[in-house]
Protein backbone atom coordinates (compact mmCIF):
# COMPACT_ATOMS: atom_id res chain seq x y z
CA UNK A 1 0.00 0.00 0.00
CA UNK A 2 1.43 3.37 -1.02
CA UNK A 3 1.66 6.31 1.36
CA UNK A 4 0.91 9.91 0.47
CA UNK A 5 1.04 13.50 1.56
CA UNK A 6 -1.57 16.15 0.81
CA UNK A 7 -1.22 19.92 1.02
CA UNK A 8 -4.49 21.65 0.10
CA UNK A 9 -6.12 24.71 1.68
CA UNK A 10 -9.60 24.47 0.11
CA UNK A 11 -11.71 22.44 2.63
CA UNK A 12 -14.03 20.74 0.11
CA UNK A 13 -11.17 19.65 -2.15
CA UNK A 14 -9.12 18.60 0.88
CA UNK A 15 -11.97 16.31 2.00
CA UNK A 16 -12.55 14.98 -1.53
CA UNK A 17 -8.87 14.07 -2.01
CA UNK A 18 -8.74 12.37 1.39
CA UNK A 19 -11.83 10.36 0.39
CA UNK A 20 -10.19 9.49 -2.94
CA UNK A 21 -7.04 8.31 -1.17
CA UNK A 22 -9.17 6.21 1.20
CA UNK A 23 -11.03 4.64 -1.76
CA UNK A 24 -7.67 3.74 -3.33
CA UNK A 25 -6.44 2.18 -0.09
CA UNK A 26 -3.76 4.80 0.54
CA UNK A 27 -2.69 6.29 3.87
CA UNK A 28 -0.57 9.27 4.83
CA UNK A 29 -0.40 12.82 6.19
CA UNK A 30 -2.38 15.92 5.26
CA UNK A 31 -1.88 19.65 5.76
CA UNK A 32 -3.92 22.74 4.95
CA UNK A 33 -1.15 25.36 5.18
CA UNK A 34 2.38 25.67 3.86
CA UNK A 35 3.61 26.45 7.37
CA UNK A 36 2.25 23.13 8.72
CA UNK A 37 3.86 21.25 5.84
CA UNK A 38 7.20 23.06 6.33
CA UNK A 39 7.20 22.14 10.02
CA UNK A 40 6.55 18.51 9.09
CA UNK A 41 9.42 18.49 6.54
CA UNK A 42 11.69 19.98 9.21
CA UNK A 43 10.58 17.27 11.66
CA UNK A 44 11.29 14.56 9.06
CA UNK A 45 14.76 16.03 8.40
CA UNK A 46 15.50 16.17 12.14
CA UNK A 47 14.48 12.52 12.60
CA UNK A 48 11.51 13.53 14.74
CA UNK A 49 8.80 12.03 12.52
CA UNK A 50 8.14 8.36 13.23
CA UNK A 51 5.47 7.62 10.62
CA UNK A 52 5.99 6.09 7.21
CA UNK A 53 7.33 8.60 4.70
CA UNK A 54 5.14 9.36 1.69
CA UNK A 55 5.81 7.95 -1.74
CA UNK A 56 3.48 10.50 -3.31
CA UNK A 57 2.68 14.15 -2.52
CA UNK A 58 -0.20 16.18 -3.97
CA UNK A 59 0.60 19.83 -3.31
CA UNK A 60 -1.51 22.89 -4.08
CA UNK A 61 0.67 25.68 -5.49
CA UNK A 62 -1.21 28.68 -4.07
CA UNK A 63 -1.78 28.71 -0.33
CA UNK A 64 -3.14 31.38 2.02
CA UNK A 65 0.00 31.71 4.16
CA UNK A 66 3.53 32.87 3.45
CA UNK A 67 4.83 29.51 2.19
CA UNK A 68 3.73 28.33 -1.26
CA UNK A 69 3.30 24.77 -2.43
CA UNK A 70 6.15 25.35 -4.85
CA UNK A 71 8.43 26.17 -1.89
CA UNK A 72 7.28 23.03 -0.03
CA UNK A 73 8.03 20.85 -3.06
CA UNK A 74 11.48 22.41 -3.40
CA UNK A 75 12.09 21.84 0.33
CA UNK A 76 11.11 18.18 -0.10
CA UNK A 77 13.47 17.78 -3.07
CA UNK A 78 16.35 19.06 -0.91
CA UNK A 79 15.50 16.66 1.93
CA UNK A 80 17.61 13.48 2.05
CA UNK A 81 14.58 11.59 3.38
CA UNK A 82 11.93 13.00 1.00
CA UNK A 83 13.84 13.70 -2.22
CA UNK A 84 12.52 10.56 -3.98
CA UNK A 85 8.88 11.32 -3.21
CA UNK A 86 6.74 11.67 -6.34
CA UNK A 87 5.45 15.24 -6.27
CA UNK A 88 2.37 16.36 -8.18
CA UNK A 89 1.66 20.07 -7.95
CA UNK A 90 -1.91 21.22 -8.50
CA UNK A 91 -3.61 24.51 -9.25
CA UNK A 92 -6.96 25.90 -10.33
CA UNK A 93 -5.27 28.91 -11.95
CA UNK A 94 -4.32 28.87 -15.62
CA UNK A 95 -0.59 29.35 -15.94
CA UNK A 96 1.38 30.39 -18.99
CA UNK A 97 3.93 27.95 -20.40
CA UNK A 98 6.75 30.06 -18.96
CA UNK A 99 5.06 30.10 -15.51
CA UNK A 100 4.61 26.32 -15.68
CA UNK A 101 8.26 25.84 -16.64
CA UNK A 102 9.46 28.13 -13.84
CA UNK A 103 7.32 26.40 -11.20
CA UNK A 104 8.47 22.96 -12.32
CA UNK A 105 12.12 24.08 -12.33
CA UNK A 106 11.94 25.64 -8.86
CA UNK A 107 9.92 22.84 -7.29
CA UNK A 108 11.49 19.79 -8.90
CA UNK A 109 7.98 18.35 -9.17
CA UNK A 110 7.15 15.40 -11.40
CA UNK A 111 3.75 16.59 -12.60
CA UNK A 112 1.52 19.66 -12.72
CA UNK A 113 -2.21 18.97 -12.49
CA UNK A 114 -4.95 21.45 -13.21
CA UNK A 115 -8.15 21.45 -11.18
CA UNK A 116 -10.68 20.07 -11.71
CA UNK A 117 -8.87 16.75 -11.80
CA UNK A 118 -9.35 14.12 -14.48
CA UNK A 119 -11.62 11.17 -13.67
CA UNK A 120 -10.52 9.10 -10.68
CA UNK A 121 -9.29 6.10 -12.70
CA UNK A 122 -7.27 8.36 -15.04
CA UNK A 123 -5.74 10.29 -12.14
CA UNK A 124 -4.94 7.03 -10.32
CA UNK A 125 -3.28 5.64 -13.46
CA UNK A 126 -1.14 8.77 -13.96
CA UNK A 127 -0.03 8.85 -10.33
CA UNK A 128 0.63 5.10 -10.25
CA UNK A 129 2.76 5.44 -13.42
CA UNK A 130 4.84 8.16 -11.75
CA UNK A 131 5.28 5.97 -8.66
CA UNK A 132 6.50 3.10 -10.86
CA UNK A 133 8.94 5.39 -12.69
CA UNK A 134 10.45 6.41 -9.34
CA UNK A 135 10.72 2.79 -8.18
CA UNK A 136 7.80 2.88 -5.76
CA UNK A 137 5.51 0.59 -7.70
Amino acid sequence: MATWMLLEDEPDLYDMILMMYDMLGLRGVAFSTGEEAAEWVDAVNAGEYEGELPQLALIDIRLPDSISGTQIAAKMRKSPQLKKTVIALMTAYKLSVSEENEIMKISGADLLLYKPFPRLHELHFRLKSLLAERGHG
Side-chain angles (χ1 to χ4, degrees), residues 33-46:
T33 70
E35 291 165 356
E36 290 174 339
E39 288 173 12
W40 176 78
V41 172
D42 290 341
V44 168
N45 290 338

Side-chain angles (χ1 to χ4, degrees), residues 56-71:
L56 169 69
L58 276 178
I59 300 175
D60 191 7
I61 293 172
R62 291 192 169 113
L63 300 167
D65 55 359
S66 62
I67 302 174
S68 72
T70 305
Q71 291 170 305

Side-chain angles (χ1 to χ4, degrees), residues 4-131:
W4 53 263
M5 176 197 148
L6 171 63
L7 174 54
E8 171 60 56
D9 65 306
E10 209 292 322
D12 290 340
L13 190 53
Y14 179 95
D15 291 341
M16 189 226 30
I17 293 172
L18 291 181
M19 190 180 335
M20 177 190 75
Y21 280 159
D22 193 45
M23 288 171 49
L24 296 173
L26 305 172
R27 63 184 185 283
V29 295
F31 309 99
S32 59
T33 70
E35 291 165 356
E36 290 174 339
E39 288 173 12
W40 176 78
V41 172
D42 290 341
V44 168
N45 290 338
E48 298 167 358
Y49 177 73
E50 296 186 14
E52 195 170 336
L53 296 177
Q55 297 171 330
L56 169 69
L58 276 178
I59 300 175
D60 191 7
I61 293 172
R62 291 192 169 113
L63 300 167
D65 55 359
S66 62
I67 302 174
S68 72
T70 305
Q71 291 170 305
I72 294 299
K75 189 174 180 79
M76 290 175 70
R77 280 289 175 251
K78 292 175 187 160
S79 165
Q81 294 86 346
L82 298 168
K83 66 183 175 189
K84 293 186 180 180
T85 303
V86 171
I87 298 174
L89 296 178
M90 51 188 178
T91 187
Y93 297 94
K94 181 63 183 147
L95 303 172
S96 69
V97 173
S98 63
E99 288 172 319
E100 285 181 4
N101 291 338
E102 184 69 14
I103 284 170
M104 295 301 283
K105 180 181 172 186
I106 291 168
S107 68
D110 300 286
L111 178 66
L112 175 62
L113 294 169
Y114 282 96
K115 302 172 192 174
F117 293 135
R119 296 183 186 271
L120 181 61
H121 70 278
E122 181 185 336
L123 178 60
H124 184 232
F125 177 79
R126 289 176 75 185
L127 296 175
K128 200 170 182 177
S129 295
L130 285 171
L131 285 166

